[in-house]
Amino acid sequence: MLRITMDSAGDLPPEWLDLYDIQVIPINIHFGERTYYQGVDLTNAGFYQLVTESGTIPKTSQPTPHQFISFYRNVARQGDTVISVHVTRKLSGTYDSAEIAARELAGEINVIPVDSGGGSASMGFMCRLTRELNLAGRSIQEIVAHLAEIRARTEIILTLDTLDYARMSGRVKAMQAALASMLNVKPIVILSEGVLDVSEKVRTRGRAIERVLELMKNRIGDRQVNMAVVHAQDLTAGKSLLERVRGSFHIKELIFTELSIGIAANLGPGTVGIVACPVIEG
């Protein structure tokens, strides 16, 4: 039987978990001496409350190989195959931990780690497609090939309200972050080839959101896509962007989701953006 898993740096509508039988391994979130697990003992609202109360930004770390081994054994039986979708290995060691666990479980469970090349809703779309292709009778090799196609053609463009989180996490070049903070501008970040890079620095929030739309339109044109609008503790800006997106692109399916803690802890509250994935017919 095929099992589908991903780490909690991915985003998807909550109902997809049951509908497509997707299991999630939480990343580790460290506040001082205590470690939390997203969706287990720390909600998104609880995370932001802790940030406000403590005045500190937490550190995140990937699940260890041991955590992955226990997780895979909990979700799969002897002889099952697991397709396990993960945040880009260029920003996290999660994929590498999954690979180590897969080698340890060889002969017991067939674990196939997949580097999404990104994160957030692109991982959710990949997991859903995996189940759809599985139900359509496609082979594991065909499914993995389609996931590679999604990875190569996915576009992720975000605007951050501040670069303080990204600078402290090391996810964006420190010099760029420092410059943007000094100028008090709104940076636009593009995830390209698995790496976050500041493409532009815009003076106002409104103009930054406008540029996110323009840049995405330049990249995908009139191609049909599955698209997600994502936000980190900014429902108003997220919903506003959602309405703009709805009338601007050739969309097969549009979803709206809050950024996972694992992503928001590194990019900061106020982050909003668009994830566009190619439509793959099963």
Side-chain angles (χ1 to χ4, degrees):
M1 182 172 180
L2 178 64
R3 311 288 183 175
I4 301 169
T5 66
M6 73 176 194
D7 64 77
S8 62
D11 301 312
L12 75 180
E15 60 270 21
W16 285 14
L17 295 173
D18 289 332
L19 187 60
Y20 301 109
D21 191 14
I22 300 166
Q23 307 297 321
V24 181
I25 183 170
I27 62 170
N28 304 311
I29 302 168
H30 309 284
F31 271 99
E33 298 297 318
R34 183 166 178 183
T35 298
Y36 295 87
Y37 307 99
Q38 179 181 358
V40 177
D41 57 1
L42 186 64
T43 63
N44 282 30
F47 165 77
Y48 291 115
Q49 182 178 347
L50 281 174
V51 171
T52 300
E53 292 174 351
S54 67
T56 61
I57 299 171
K59 296 183 181 298
T60 60
S61 66
Q62 71 269 16
T64 66
H66 176 72
Q67 287 175 309
F68 266 111
I69 290 170
S70 296
F71 172 71
Y72 290 139
R73 283 177 170 157
N74 282 336
V75 303
R77 297 179 180 178
Q78 178 84 26
D80 282 348
T81 292
V82 178
I83 290 182
S84 197
V85 178
H86 299 295
V87 64
T88 170
R89 68 189 308 177
K90 293 185 178 179
L91 294 178
S92 169
T94 303
Y95 175 86
D96 295 328
S97 285
E99 268 201 326
I100 293 169
R103 289 195 295 269
E104 289 289 325
L105 290 169
E108 177 184 345
I109 301 168
N110 178 30
V111 179
I112 304 172
V114 174
D115 179 357
S116 70
S120 186
S122 66
M123 292 167 57
F125 280 124
M126 290 174 97
C127 287
R128 185 188 68 168
L129 177 66
T130 297
R131 182 60 71 201
E132 290 175 340
L133 293 174
N134 168 237
L135 293 174
R138 295 299 185 91
S139 69
I140 297 299
Q141 292 77 13
E142 288 176 307
I143 293 171
V144 171
H146 281 311
L147 295 182
E149 185 179 354
I150 288 186
R151 169 182 168 156
R153 295 168 53 199
T154 290
E155 303 286 353
I156 301 177
I157 305 177
L158 309 163
T159 180
L160 282 58
D161 197 40
T162 173
L163 263 171
D164 291 342
Y165 280 60
R167 185 181 63 249
M168 284 185 274
S169 72
R171 295 304 196 270
V172 179
K173 294 177 183 177
M175 185 178 297
Q176 291 177 322
L179 177 61
S181 296
M182 287 170 56
L183 295 176
N184 192 30
V185 297
K186 304 303 178 186
I188 294 171
V189 173
I190 295 177
L191 186 66
S192 179
E193 297 183 356
V195 176
L196 287 169
D197 197 15
V198 177
S199 68
E200 298 181 17
K201 306 174 190 72
V202 183
R203 286 289 181 182
T204 68
R205 175 75 157 175
R207 181 55 185 152
I209 291 175
E210 190 72 32
R211 280 300 288 157
V212 167
L213 287 161
E214 291 171 357
L215 289 168
M216 186 61 79
K217 190 67 175 180
N218 290 341
R219 285 171 173 258
I220 66 173
D222 294 324
R223 298 197 311 272
Q224 187 181 44
V225 292
N226 290 314
M227 189 167 276
V229 171
V230 298
H231 75 95
Q233 206 184 25
D234 197 336
L235 191 60
T236 300
K239 286 186 174 180
S240 176
L241 179 57
L242 182 69
E243 292 308 309
R244 298 286 303 279
V245 162
R246 202 185 300 276
S248 302
F249 298 93
H250 184 195
I251 301 171
K252 181 176 182 180
E253 181 166 10
L254 177 62
I255 64 173
F256 181 60
T257 182
E258 187 170 6
L259 278 170
S260 70
I261 296 173
I263 300 293
N266 294 304
L267 299 183
T271 298
V272 294
I274 306 171
V275 178
C277 295
V279 173
I280 306 293
E281 299 297 339

